[in-house]
Amino acid sequence: MKTYLVTGGAGFIGSNYIHYMFNKYKDTIRIINVDVLTYAGNPENLASLETNENYIFIKEDICNKDAMHNIFKQYDIDRVVHFAAESHVDRSIRNPQVFVNTNVMGTLNLLDAAKCAWETEDGYKTDKKYLQVSTDEVYGSLEEEDSYFYESTPIDPHSPYSASKASADMIVKAYMDTFHFPANITRCSNNYGPYQFPEKLIPLMINNALLGKKLPIYGDGKNVRDWLYVMDHAKAIDMVMEQGKLYEVYNVGGHNEKQNVDIVNIIIDTLASLLPDSDSRKAHVNKDLITYVEDRKGHDRRYAIAPDKIKSEIGWEPETMFAEGIRLTIEWYLNNNEWMEHVTSGDYQKYYQEMYK
Ligand code: NAD
Ligand code: TYD
């Protein structure tokens, strides 16, 4: 039985990945989820695994070096999938420090603990691997229409978030280049799907529209992101872990570029079509809610991934068409009102008032 150490597994992508892995491998794997539970970490995302003997939750900060080393002493870890991070660009503009602590120093701690545990006299224990979950944002912004991010595109981050993720990638690269540490890096485009915290574009717009609140579009709304359904990302991570060549970087993307304003319009149309006539919210879900607000500082114009390498070397391709993925996502939010109520109480209200004042 393989033992996975997943960090940040109570967050959006991490929890979807853990569900994906137990659905696929059933009781042939064990997953240890290390998560300190920041505002973005929610154990409710994994409530259905409470009785699963192969799922272990450890509430811990990846910045705690001793704790990371102890976890590797206590368990014989075969795979590390490192999701834990501060992940929201707007928050990084307001408070960069925590991004550097968690995303850079936390990554270094984890690498160091894995290296110490896996090292042998002449290399590493066999069949061990670390996967750094990174982002296309490390490549910066594409200004020309037909250009794409390739693995060879120079790193050129702009926001404190993407700079911290790029720094973490460079530390992983240093471990691979200097110590031959067995690792891969994946760089994925924007994800959407269930369990995403409503500070990010798609769940924020769904939540606001249902509440009849304004839908704040930054700048001219023409910034482009390449959206990928989260379960397709989970599958890509698993495939890179098992089939990726050591030390390689793989871009993961949806072939699905959309302007923000188009995303918001699709959300309104899909919500309106899914809500039954008897639902009182249907009356206010319409385009009058759209409001253009001040642009994000340093707002990257366009992201677009060329996922050619992961397709040709590993055989991964995005499977979920956007029309289907967004319907599944909106249905999930409609069916999980309580989840939304829990995550938007308390601190979220404070953040929202401050951010959108
Ligand atoms: P998220 O913010 O939803 O979840 C992050 C998780 O990490 C939370 O559960 C949080 O509690 C945990 N965490 C934060 N700081 C921690 C610390 N110091 N110690 C332990 N746990 C800590 O993020 P997400 O959207 O699920 O993103 C996961 C990873 O994927 C991140 O590394 C992010 O950079 C990357 N990524 C995200 C996207 C996206 O569209 N969301 C796209 C590409 C890559
Ligand atoms: P976001 O979901 O924060 O992801 P990222 O900035 O990491 O790509 O934002 C996606 C896009 O949506 C980005 O161009 C900023 C824009 N946006 C808005 O226009 N309004 C909002 O309220 C938010 C949160 C984002």
Side-chain angles (χ1 to χ4, degrees):
M1 176 186 280
K2 283 202 175 72
T3 299
Y4 287 71
L5 175 63
V6 173
T7 68
F12 163 49
I13 308 176
S15 57
N16 278 288
Y17 169 79
I18 291 175
H19 285 301
Y20 174 85
M21 292 297 282
F22 277 126
N23 278 337
K24 177 168 178 194
Y25 295 102
K26 309 281 188 266
D27 55 3
T28 67
I29 58 166
R30 176 166 69 158
I31 295 183
I32 299 160
N33 174 16
V34 175
D35 195 305
V36 76
L37 300 181
T38 66
Y39 75 93
N42 183 355
E44 263 183 76
N45 301 357
L46 297 158
S48 61
L49 295 174
E50 263 162 25
T51 55
N52 185 332
E53 287 174 355
N54 295 326
Y55 172 67
I56 298 162
F57 176 67
I58 301 176
K59 184 175 183 304
E60 190 51 82
D61 191 335
I62 56 166
C63 297
N64 182 340
K65 190 171 176 181
D66 291 343
M68 291 307 109
H69 281 265
N70 284 338
I71 290 170
F72 278 88
K73 280 187 195 127
Q74 197 180 346
Y75 300 98
D76 182 14
I77 309 262
D78 300 297
R79 305 271 187 262
V80 176
V81 185
H82 179 33
F83 293 101
E86 288 293 334
S87 68
H88 189 40
V89 174
D90 292 321
R91 287 185 191 251
S92 81
I93 294 167
R94 290 165 166 262
N95 178 17
Q97 184 98 33
V98 64
F99 282 72
V100 174
N101 288 345
T102 290
N103 299 0
V104 186
M105 294 311 295
T107 297
L108 179 61
N109 275 340
L110 195 64
L111 282 167
D112 193 53
K115 178 174 166 284
C116 284
W118 291 348
E119 248 169 353
T120 61
E121 274 181 10
D122 52 356
Y124 291 92
K125 292 178 184 165
T126 50
D127 202 24
K128 305 285 187 192
K129 203 196 260 190
Y130 172 105
L131 190 143
Q132 177 74 10
V133 181
S134 186
T135 162
D136 60 356
E137 300 192 29
V138 301
Y139 295 122
S141 181
L142 295 163
E143 301 302 324
E144 283 158 36
E145 239 182 49
D146 285 332
S147 52
Y148 292 91
F149 294 138
Y150 290 87
E151 288 78 358
S152 55
T153 303
I155 301 296
D156 182 24
H158 298 135
S159 71
Y161 163 67
S162 54
S164 69
K165 292 294 290 186
S167 308
D169 283 14
M170 293 301 101
I171 305 278
V172 176
K173 182 178 178 311
Y175 267 61
M176 297 193 292
D177 293 352
T178 308
F179 307 117
H180 304 296
F181 179 74
N184 282 125
I185 298 173
T186 55
R187 295 191 179 130
C188 189
S189 60
N190 287 60
N191 286 213
Y192 68 100
Y195 304 114
Q196 188 169 29
F197 193 80
E199 64 188 355
K200 306 274 168 55
L201 180 73
I202 289 182
L204 186 140
M205 296 298 166
I206 297 171
N207 187 39
N208 280 18
L210 286 171
L211 295 173
K213 284 165 76 173
K214 292 286 184 200
L215 307 180
I217 297 183
Y218 300 163
D220 64 3
K222 293 186 177 159
N223 298 64
V224 170
R225 298 293 183 264
D226 174 2
W227 294 94
L228 180 71
Y229 192 61
V230 64
M231 279 302 178
D232 285 351
H233 187 190
K235 184 172 180 179
I237 289 171
D238 182 37
M239 289 178 77
V240 170
M241 181 64 95
E242 298 314 319
Q243 298 169 51
K245 276 194 230 140
L246 278 187
Y247 318 127
E248 293 288 319
V249 175
Y250 292 93
N251 284 352
V252 184
H255 278 307
N256 182 44
E257 291 173 54
K258 295 218 177 324
Q259 292 188 347
N260 294 336
V261 63
D262 294 336
I263 293 284
V264 174
N265 280 315
I266 292 170
I267 290 172
I268 295 167
D269 292 343
T270 313
L271 260 178
S273 73
L274 287 174
L275 284 169
D277 290 341
S278 57
D279 194 313
S280 60
R281 293 172 297 183
K282 194 164 180 146
H284 61 238
V285 174
N286 61 58
K287 291 175 187 170
D288 293 344
L289 293 177
I290 291 179
T291 172
Y292 287 86
V293 300
E294 190 187 330
D295 208 354
R296 174 186 277 173
K297 286 190 176 67
H299 198 175
D300 285 339
R301 192 63 175 168
R302 175 171 162 259
Y303 301 148
I305 281 269
D308 305 24
K309 178 172 170 180
I310 190 171
K311 184 180 176 197
S312 63
E313 285 190 14
I314 294 181
W316 177 89
E317 274 189 289
E319 287 172 20
T320 313
M321 299 298 287
F322 189 71
E324 185 198 351
I326 198 71
R327 183 183 50 78
L328 289 172
T329 303
I330 291 176
E331 279 174 352
W332 187 86
Y333 282 100
L334 286 173
N335 292 330
N336 288 275
N337 256 334
E338 234 180 61
W339 182 95
M340 187 60 94
E341 276 164 21
H342 291 171
V343 301
T344 52
S345 59
D347 280 354
Y348 177 81
Q349 293 302 339
K350 234 170 74 193
Y351 166 79
Y352 195 87
Q353 294 311 328
E354 191 52 31
M355 173 70 203
Y356 293 94
K357 69 176 180 266

